[in-house]
Amino acid sequence: MADELWVGTSWKMTKTITQGRAWAREVAAVPVPDGVTAFVLPPHTALAAVRGCVPPGHRLLVGAQDAHWSAENEWTGEVSVQQVADAGADLVEVGHSERRLGLGEDEDVVARKVRAVVDFGLVPLLCVGEPAAVRQAGAHVDHVAAQVTSALALLEREEVYDVLVAYEPVWAIGPKGAPAEPEDVAPVIAAIREAVGRSAEGASALGVLYGGSVTRDNATAMVSGAGVDGLFVGRAGWTARSFLDIVSMVGRHAGDR
Ligand code: PGA
């Protein structure tokens, strides 16, 4: 298990720059508890503005929800890792299921993006997770382990220590999702740790997080009962108050470990 616990939110396709600043000022006014690192992934449009609201030394990192794998110029509409770094990103989410399933991002693209993020010295937040049908067929552990293996395929062993992994079962995400229970999550987290070790000669990831319908109601149970190194929150992170509450729940767990 990682020494540090992580708790972050992706705003997905929400918030104007003004709304993003208001959230960031409220969150950055409160210190992140010892033993915890927090992060927020605004849309690209608000990244620099949000970064500008976080005082130096505050343990709220800022990241991007995606970045292109190429360093070449000819990719109309895309944003490179270098550009999100320039806007203030410390980390970059890669391979969210909304991109894999809704935008056709395949394993090869995910692996290239992980490689590009590491090349630029930022932390990849690799998302993996099975659709409902795969879970129902009992194939979820193998499915997720295979996603991890292929996503890390272009990294050297030492680079794997800088990768965050988020297990996000597709059936648990979003307003139509059914929240997972810690016992649904724990075996997959263990399998992710094994898959990381197998693909990188015994190396471990920076952290293995859980995401999917995390709220104030289930955050403590999930962080204490699923063997995770933290939580990756969607909707429940979109208001500053709710995000701060979840951060402090994770902080209390960090203090108890
Ligand atoms: P949710 O989103 O917490 O709103 O279910 C989680 C995610 O997609 O990361």
Side-chain angles (χ1 to χ4, degrees):
M1 278 214 171
D3 295 338
E4 188 82 1
L5 291 177
W6 297 80
V7 55
T9 181
S10 162
W11 292 347
K12 304 195 180 185
M13 205 163 70
T14 70
K15 294 200 195 296
T16 61
I17 293 171
T18 304
Q19 290 166 340
R21 281 202 183 105
W23 183 102
R25 287 198 186 108
E26 197 175 332
V27 168
V30 180
V32 174
D34 287 345
V36 178
T37 299
F39 63 88
V40 56
L41 312 181
H44 289 343
T45 47
L47 188 46
V50 167
R51 157 60 83 199
C53 295
V54 182
H58 193 285
R59 283 208 318 286
L60 174 68
L61 306 181
V62 180
Q65 297 172 24
D66 182 51
H68 198 270
W69 45 264
S70 176
E72 305 295 327
N73 300 332
E74 283 81 18
W75 290 101
T76 299
E78 290 292 313
V79 176
S80 68
V81 177
Q82 182 167 9
Q83 287 173 313
V84 298
D86 179 51
D90 304 301
L91 64 161
V92 181
E93 182 179 359
V94 176
H96 191 282
S97 59
E98 287 156 11
R99 299 195 62 85
R100 291 179 191 256
L101 302 174
L103 294 166
E105 259 186 30
D106 63 16
E107 301 289 0
D108 177 50
V109 167
V110 169
R112 287 198 217 190
K113 287 185 172 182
V114 169
R115 176 71 256 163
V117 174
V118 170
D119 276 340
F120 217 80
L122 305 190
V123 171
L125 170 62
L126 166 68
C127 298
V128 294
E130 79 286 358
V134 173
R135 168 72 66 157
Q136 277 147 18
H140 49 290
V141 168
D142 289 347
H143 179 93
V144 169
Q147 285 180 319
V148 169
T149 304
S150 69
L152 301 182
L154 303 180
L155 299 189
E156 304 294 329
R157 178 179 186 274
E158 295 307 313
E159 293 168 333
V160 169
Y161 287 99
D162 295 324
V163 177
L164 283 175
V165 182
Y167 170 51
E168 300 211 304
V170 178
W171 47 269
I173 292 176
K176 296 190 186 127
E181 298 296 331
E183 52 272 27
D184 300 324
V185 172
V188 188
I189 299 294
I192 290 172
R193 295 191 197 282
E194 269 175 45
V196 170
R198 257 199 321 276
S199 12
E201 301 156 57
S204 53
L206 184 57
V208 183
L209 283 50
Y210 169 76
S213 294
V214 172
T215 65
R216 286 180 275 207
D217 295 335
N218 62 8
T220 298
M222 200 56 91
V223 80
S224 55
V228 296
D229 303 314
L231 301 173
F232 185 32
V233 186
R235 289 156 295 153
W238 297 351
T239 62
R241 186 65 265 154
S242 168
F243 184 68
L244 284 168
D245 288 348
I246 294 172
V247 171
S248 84
M249 287 170 185
V250 173
R252 280 198 289 279
H253 179 63
D256 292 345
R257 290 211 302 176

